[in-house]
Amino acid sequence: HRRIFAAMLGNLDDSVGSILRAVRENQLEEKTIVVFMSDNGGPTRELTSSNLPFRGEKGQMYEGGLRIPMAMQWKDTLPAGKDFNGLTTSVDLFATVGGLFDKDVPKMDGIDLMPFLLGKNTASPHDTFYWRQGKRTTVRNGDWKLVNMKGSINSPIWELYNIASDPTESKNLSSKNPHQVERLIQVWQSYQQEMRAPLF
């Protein structure tokens, strides 16, 4: 599995390099936004991949299974080598690219990231995220994250983490911060009631 995975990564690197080289050779770097996005965390049991320093793996509600590293390049427009730590989602890409055109873009759930990436807006694009996969679910509001990995949707067993001070989710703060748990449960319920019952 590791050999297959290494070959896939090598091929991916070569392919991305070919695309970037073609853009550069055709002098299109100033006119082209290049986005590279990961498909969440690696499946550690299947491929012995590592999501360190984050906890968990693909398919889990911990940061190792939810974070989607994204790299963007737009020469002479986006600053090179700059990290952006605001809450974003792949859905934002439609609004971001659509915002560059004069034509009206259909209203979507995403947010145009360009003002944030260019430093014109210093807030986070989103303040709340909600996830649900089968019986697993979580909600993040600001720096606080409420996780249910061990219970069910109807009988959740909540864990509470502060991602700003504990990005590796090593300290479950649910017993020390019951008010935050209750507040986030209400936020979670507001999203949950909009969802259909899970099919699996």
Side-chain angles (χ1 to χ4, degrees):
H1 279 199
R2 289 296 291 170
R3 286 195 299 270
I4 293 171
F5 191 50
M8 292 170 66
L9 285 177
N11 183 268
L12 179 64
D13 284 347
D14 291 343
S15 299
V16 171
S18 296
I19 293 170
L20 293 178
R21 185 166 53 253
V23 170
R24 184 170 56 252
E25 290 174 351
N26 287 281
Q27 300 179 344
L28 295 172
E29 287 181 300
E30 292 83 3
K31 298 179 179 180
T32 305
I33 298 176
V34 179
V35 181
F36 183 91
M37 178 175 289
S38 169
D39 182 21
N40 306 97
T44 59
R45 288 168 291 182
E46 183 180 346
L47 297 173
T48 63
S49 52
S50 172
N51 300 309
L52 293 175
F54 303 112
R55 177 181 181 183
E57 62 183 74
K58 186 178 183 71
Q60 294 186 350
M61 297 292 120
Y62 299 118
E63 291 296 285
L66 293 178
R67 288 204 176 205
I68 307 176
M70 182 192 316
M72 297 183 73
Q73 173 186 294
W74 189 7
K75 190 174 180 181
D76 294 341
T77 299
L78 294 177
K82 182 179 178 181
D83 289 339
F84 179 73
N85 295 312
L87 293 180
T88 65
T89 174
S90 57
V91 177
D92 294 330
L93 291 178
F94 182 89
T96 301
V97 175
L100 301 174
F101 298 93
D102 293 332
K103 296 179 180 179
D104 292 334
V105 177
K107 178 64 178 172
M108 299 288 282
D109 290 335
I111 292 175
D112 184 354
L113 298 177
M114 209 51 68
F116 302 90
L117 299 176
L118 296 175
K120 297 176 182 178
N121 189 333
T122 58
S124 178
H126 300 271
D127 60 359
T128 304
F129 278 160
Y130 163 93
W131 294 269
R132 188 183 77 188
Q133 183 183 36
K135 65 179 183 178
R136 302 168 179 171
T137 186
T138 190
V139 64
R140 177 168 173 181
N141 180 251
D143 293 332
W144 290 99
K145 182 177 171 187
L146 195 64
V147 179
N148 171 47
M149 277 290 298
K150 300 172 183 173
S152 65
I153 293 293
N154 296 324
S155 299
I157 300 174
W158 294 117
E159 303 168 40
L160 177 70
Y161 301 99
N162 186 295
I163 301 302
S165 61
D166 181 26
T168 60
E169 296 168 298
S170 59
K171 300 170 186 171
N172 181 358
L173 302 174
S174 59
S175 62
K176 294 182 179 179
N177 292 272
H179 61 288
Q180 283 289 357
V181 172
E182 289 303 316
R183 184 183 71 82
L184 288 172
I185 287 175
Q186 292 180 9
V187 175
W188 176 79
Q189 286 175 335
S190 69
Y191 283 89
Q192 174 66 16
Q193 66 185 7
E194 297 178 9
M195 301 293 120
R196 296 177 63 180
L199 299 177
F200 62 93

